[in-house]
Amino acid sequence: MRASRFFISTLKEAPSDAEIVSHQLMMRAGMIKRLGSGIYTYMPTGLRIIRKVEGIIREEMNRAGAIELLMPLVQPAELWQETGRWDKMGPELMRVKDRHGREFAIQPTSEEVITDVVRSEIKSYRQLPVNFYHIQTKFRDERRPRFGLMRGREFTMKDAYSFDRDVAGMQASYQNMFDAYTRVFNRFGLKFRAVAADNGAIGGTGSHEFHVIASTGEDALVYCKESDYAANMEAAEALAIGERLAAAQALTKTSTPGKTKCEAVAELLNIPLQQHVKSIALTVENEGKKTYFLLLLRADHELNEIKVSKVAGLKDFRFSTEAEIQDVYGTVPGYLGPIGAKLPLTVVADRTVANMADFVCGANELDFHFTGANWGRDVAEPIVADLRNVVEGDASPDGKGVLAIERGIEVGHVFQLGTAYSEAMGATFLDENGKPAPLQMGCYGIGVTRILGAAIEQNFDDKGIVWPDAIAPFELVLCPMGMDRSEMVKEQVEKLYAELMAAGVDVIVDDRGLRPGAMFSDWELIGVPHRVVIGERGLKEGNLEYQGRRDDAATSVPVDGMVAFIKGKLGK
Amino acid sequence: MRASRFFISTLKEAPSDAEIVSHQLMMRAGMIKRLGSGIYTYMPTGLRIIRKVEGIIREEMNRAGAIELLMPLVQPAELWQETGRWDKMGPELMRVKDRHGREFAIQPTSEEVITDVVRSEIKSYRQLPVNFYHIQTKFRDERRPRFGLMRGREFTMKDAYSFDRDVAGMQASYQNMFDAYTRVFNRFGLKFRAVAADNGAIGGTGSHEFHVIASTGEDALVYCKESDYAANMEAAEALAIGERLAAAQALTKTSTPGKTKCEAVAELLNIPLQQHVKSIALTVENEGKKTYFLLLLRADHELNEIKVSKVAGLKDFRFSTEAEIQDVYGTVPGYLGPIGAKLPLTVVADRTVANMADFVCGANELDFHFTGANWGRDVAEPIVADLRNVVEGDASPDGKGVLAIERGIEVGHVFQLGTAYSEAMGATFLDENGKPAPLQMGCYGIGVTRILGAAIEQNFDDKGIVWPDAIAPFELVLCPMGMDRSEMVKEQVEKLYAELMAAGVDVIVDDRGLRPGAMFSDWELIGVPHRVVIGERGLKEGNLEYQGRRDDAATSVPVDGMVAFIKGKLGK
């Protein structure tokens, strides 16, 4: 490519609505252009990156035996009604009526459509397993679109759907996709981590997320350096800390006026925070009847609401109101505790709390706490559950070391769906005995356009973006010095350009005639990973200047060896 | 590709709603699957064809210097309001509201968005010319979607937009795109014709349509075998036939009871139809005031309404009502004529009618016609205009021969838009004198998915589709006979498959284990253009059987020469 025939448009400043670095850099590098809230035109440089990302995904999906098709954007409401998602999905589902008043969804994902395809196409176990995918535009009407491509409304996703005859088959298809995703992210050249995830609203029996590691990531990833345990914070199991000691103190009601926070109580009483218990009051309403739960966490731990919702009876919990707390505990928030409530309630203690002895908790009385509280003696043994987020240094649930935490950006998700969709939509096949059985389904997504944002959050410096070779808009830029003045430079540039193209290098020659500073800063901002400068002075000595985007200084390379040198750098 | 890892699903019968052959064959061949009215999933075989079509278009657009980007599907109403198209476009424009009640269009085309991009990106004449394109899903809420991909609602289009500093530049960009389109359609291997077209609603100063020639096509294409003149029927100029002779007959009122059609009058009076004039009454209403026009055509000619609308004063014509005809002419339709109307009116004669003498026309009296009518003597000289469709054998407007007519399917359209959009949206650049001037724009579309339907309408037989090599889902199919029984066959298939892949042939091996008849009929239906049969009997003699999709019989080819033979067939 010649820059004079391409469209490069960089900015000194990012627009003020670009809050995060990837959004700022993509705007400044002219990769995207805002059309509306969460809606972007992919400019030529940005589209080149998207195409490379798509190309790698496509190759690995095909290698894994998945078959590409293309499902429509505009999908009849009737299909979404069959699975109940027409009602379940809120305003995120963009709905539209045609000229006849018929309702449609603009697809956020395609489980319904692929299940509709499959229920008419798959008749026999002989046709299984099968895995269909497409790379297609999606729309989700996010409440607050932001962060450029990270949380856009219109975006590109690769979504694949596997169909199997039984659970073992589904699990094999799932593993096959897991492995394909691992190859995809390795080929991108990004640091990533696959973590076990909660299945969430999509249902099913198992799932993993693929995260690009970045300190700016929204998600906390839990992993064990000594083993391959990894889960996102929602799903990471927290083991009990310590073992329960025998009671050594008497239960003592202590005055703690105005101290509603554990930290303040700890300071007042000079008792370590790890000896305090935090009480959280919940209410569950069922057909007008209210039941009450008190959750107990060690004071320095954080509640994990996903885990709470999995405790028996707490699927539809909410936090109690102040009025309810007054009724149940006879006091105000800040002084609650498991001892001496006014109304019946169920106490659920986090595993670590259940192991505590001589702990501090609220006394269900304004301005008072108990010290020296003990299970079995002062209060009945609680229900025990995993209620908290893990913290760095917790024991790994696989018993093989301790947990660490890093930040990530979710860019892929694989799900075992089981028969949720196939049963709702009547997608069955005839098994070996000629009996109809529901298809076992998996679904697998990669956020294509989001990859761009995530890759930048992981790879940038104060000059701009630093693309990995595999997804860079160009692998190499040739920067001629004074191409218009020097025949020697011009000839060498054309020769090198032709040789590099013949060698399969994705090269752009900057023939715009800019001064060196402006030229270099453009390509550093855009993030092309390799640069060769062709100048008369170097040429007279038979040399060109190579500089990698992360290199501090340039390297002199003989003219004749440059193509081989570049091929070496690119591993070609 | 191995058929066992691909998804092939053919049908014996097409669904009853498939009215035309391309729709029937695509459904039977499993290339598309209906999701809703005018909305199709592109199944794996269909998607392969689409990708090949897109690939050729992309290569030729890039070769022509156009730059690819990707504009959003969901586009803010505000942009469409700037050009007035939000109101001008009827229900074909699919409109949608987001969660905040803001209005959007699902793009049927992207003039507004690209003009918005360009008005902020293009500042100087130095950045011109520039041509941006994308290949993107479109939606048009057709009143009556039908014919499969030929008139769908969701479809894929390549649309390009050129921007120039002046009209000469725009014309050069237009010619550049015209040439690129010619290369594209040549590479598809389709018989096509570019014809001059009316600009229609999109406005501007010139346009051509590209049509795939097919006897089932909706459009009539006019061309001259002796020259390069070509236009669609709407735009093809009709010259006058004959020269006006001196009057030889007296004007005579003749009784023609019940004969309201020219053909019936001609038969009754025994006067050739070519001597009769057909009268068509029009009304134009302007601010409540009506004016009347009478159009005159030779009786065997057809009215061309596009041409009528270009006659001065007739832009907003309508056909007169029976009541108006009674008021103006004092009679009923069937007996109208230019002589002796009751109210003032303007007579507009087609060029051929203006050259007639001693003609027959209605007498403005029930059951009477005139014979021997003559211009200047019996009625004032009319306004003369081109009002009719051309017919086979008409003189070519370039004076170089006679016109022929064939049927075509429109698959591409190029337009000179001028400044219509740039002025409406304030898209200006600074010229060499530093003065702002509106950008001169062109737009260029190819109906990607429609190409599939058009190609089939041109290339099919009673067995199925016959794809040209360049856009076939596979170039070649290998059909092994008894692969599961014969080691010899199996080995040869694998060897040949590997060699063909290495030679860059897009080959599929049918390893499904079907009996020969079922296997052959699948591939004939799908339309793979080349087939090689590998059987034990032939192998023992060192031969394989080759058959082209259009060949009547197979050809024996030595095993060792097959790869070269196929490469020769494919021109590789």
Side-chain angles (χ1 to χ4, degrees), chain B residues 251-255 363 365 368-371:
Chain B
L251 182 70
T252 308
K253 192 187 284 184
T254 309
S255 171
E365 186 176 339
F368 282 94
H369 280 77
F370 283 121
T371 61

Side-chain angles (χ1 to χ4, degrees), chain A residues 5-7 9 30 33-37 39-45 47 50-51 58 62-76 79 91-92 94-100 102 104 106 113 116-118 120-123 127 130 132-133 135-139 141-145 153-154 156, chain B residues 5-7 9 30 33-37 39-45 47 50-51 58 62-76 79 91-92 94-100 102 104 106 113 116-118 120-123 127 130 132-133 135-139 141-145 153-154 156:
Chain A
R5 294 192 63 174
F6 195 59
F7 189 79
S9 171
K33 197 163 179 73
R34 186 181 183 278
L35 177 63
S37 173
I39 302 176
Y40 293 87
T41 292
Y42 307 124
M43 295 296 285
T45 316
L47 183 61
I50 291 171
R51 293 288 186 238
R58 184 171 282 122
N62 293 347
R63 191 190 310 273
I67 304 169
E68 189 172 7
L69 45 60
L70 191 64
M71 289 177 275
L73 283 154
V74 177
Q75 307 185 342
L79 284 183
E92 270 199 16
M94 190 84 155
R95 293 153 214 255
V96 55
K97 279 186 188 167
D98 76 0
R99 65 195 299 154
H100 304 295
R102 284 186 297 250
F104 295 83
I106 304 183
V113 171
D116 179 59
V117 166
V118 161
S120 71
E121 291 288 345
I122 300 293
K123 286 159 187 109
Q127 294 170 281
V130 67
F132 290 113
Y133 77 99
I135 298 176
Q136 176 64 303
T137 306
K138 304 286 187 291
F139 201 94
D141 197 3
E142 293 273 353
R143 195 176 57 82
R144 200 184 152 204
R153 295 201 288 178
E154 185 170 323
T156 303
Chain B
R5 294 192 64 173
F6 196 60
F7 189 79
S9 171
K33 197 163 178 72
R34 186 180 182 278
L35 178 63
S37 173
I39 302 176
Y40 292 87
T41 293
Y42 306 124
M43 296 296 285
T45 315
L47 183 61
I50 291 171
R51 294 287 186 238
R58 184 171 282 122
N62 293 348
R63 189 190 311 272
I67 304 169
E68 189 173 8
L69 44 61
L70 191 64
M71 290 176 274
L73 282 154
V74 177
Q75 307 185 340
L79 284 183
E92 271 199 15
M94 190 83 153
R95 294 153 214 256
V96 56
K97 280 186 189 168
D98 75 2
R99 67 197 294 154
H100 304 294
R102 284 186 297 251
F104 294 83
I106 304 183
V113 171
D116 179 59
V117 166
V118 161
S120 71
E121 290 288 345
I122 300 294
K123 286 158 188 110
Q127 293 169 280
V130 68
F132 290 112
Y133 77 98
I135 299 176
Q136 175 65 302
T137 306
K138 305 287 187 291
F139 202 95
D141 197 2
E142 293 273 354
R143 194 175 58 81
R144 201 185 152 203
R153 296 200 288 177
E154 186 170 322
T156 303

Side-chain angles (χ1 to χ4, degrees), chain A residues 21-22 25-26 451-460 465 467:
Chain A
V21 71
S22 59
L25 288 174
M26 291 193 82
I451 298 282
L452 276 65
I456 295 171
E457 293 290 333
Q458 186 179 88
N459 299 283
F460 69 93
I465 305 167
W467 290 106

Side-chain angles (χ1 to χ4, degrees), chain A residues 40-216:
Chain A
Y40 293 87
T41 292
Y42 307 124
M43 295 296 285
T45 316
L47 183 61
R48 285 183 76 89
I49 304 161
I50 291 171
R51 293 288 186 238
K52 291 196 180 181
V53 168
E54 290 176 348
I56 289 171
I57 294 172
R58 184 171 282 122
E59 280 180 22
E60 293 302 334
M61 292 304 291
N62 293 347
R63 191 190 310 273
I67 304 169
E68 189 172 7
L69 45 60
L70 191 64
M71 289 177 275
L73 283 154
V74 177
Q75 307 185 342
E78 290 77 9
L79 284 183
W80 288 77
Q81 284 156 353
E82 282 192 55
T83 60
R85 291 212 295 178
W86 183 259
D87 295 322
K88 247 183 267 171
M89 290 193 76
E92 270 199 16
L93 185 66
M94 190 84 155
R95 293 153 214 255
V96 55
K97 279 186 188 167
D98 76 0
R99 65 195 299 154
H100 304 295
R102 284 186 297 250
E103 288 189 297
F104 295 83
I106 304 183
Q107 69 151 348
T109 173
S110 281
E111 281 82 5
E112 281 79 0
V113 171
I114 197 68
T115 306
D116 179 59
V117 166
V118 161
R119 70 177 161 184
S120 71
E121 291 288 345
I122 300 293
K123 286 159 187 109
S124 158
Y125 70 95
R126 288 190 196 85
Q127 294 170 281
L128 300 174
V130 67
N131 184 334
F132 290 113
Y133 77 99
H134 68 167
I135 298 176
Q136 176 64 303
T137 306
K138 304 286 187 291
F139 201 94
R140 286 187 193 163
D141 197 3
E142 293 273 353
R143 195 176 57 82
R144 200 184 152 204
R146 56 191 166 148
F147 304 152
L149 301 193
M150 298 282 260
R151 184 156 298 168
R153 295 201 288 178
E154 185 170 323
F155 59 99
T156 303
M157 189 166 98
K158 186 285 300 173
D159 36 330
Y161 305 91
S162 67
F163 296 88
D164 277 275
R165 52 200 287 196
D166 52 28
V167 171
M170 173 184 70
Q171 288 169 341
S173 292
Y174 181 84
Q175 187 61 44
N176 181 35
M177 282 294 103
F178 187 98
D179 296 342
Y181 275 38
T182 302
R183 293 195 299 272
V184 164
F185 289 103
N186 274 323
R187 285 187 59 186
F188 287 158
L190 297 174
K191 291 187 284 290
F192 71 99
R193 191 179 290 284
V195 297
D198 184 68
N199 260 43
I202 205 160
T205 51
S207 79
H208 283 84
E209 296 166 354
F210 285 76
H211 287 261
V212 169
I213 306 304
S215 58
T216 54

Side-chain angles (χ1 to χ4, degrees), chain A residues 422-488:
Chain A
S422 52
E423 284 186 354
M425 296 183 65
T428 60
F429 67 101
L430 295 180
D431 67 15
E432 284 158 298
N433 304 315
K435 290 216 174 119
L439 288 155
Q440 290 283 346
M441 189 169 169
C443 74
Y444 317 95
I446 296 181
V448 170
T449 37
R450 195 171 219 226
I451 298 282
L452 276 65
I456 295 171
E457 293 290 333
Q458 186 179 88
N459 299 283
F460 69 93
D461 61 19
D462 54 4
K463 294 180 198 161
I465 305 167
V466 189
W467 290 106
D469 293 352
I471 57 175
F474 300 95
E475 291 171 326
L476 170 69
V477 57
L478 298 185
C479 295
M481 300 288 100
M483 193 171 173
D484 48 341
R485 294 188 309 272
S486 165
E487 269 308 310
M488 184 193 278

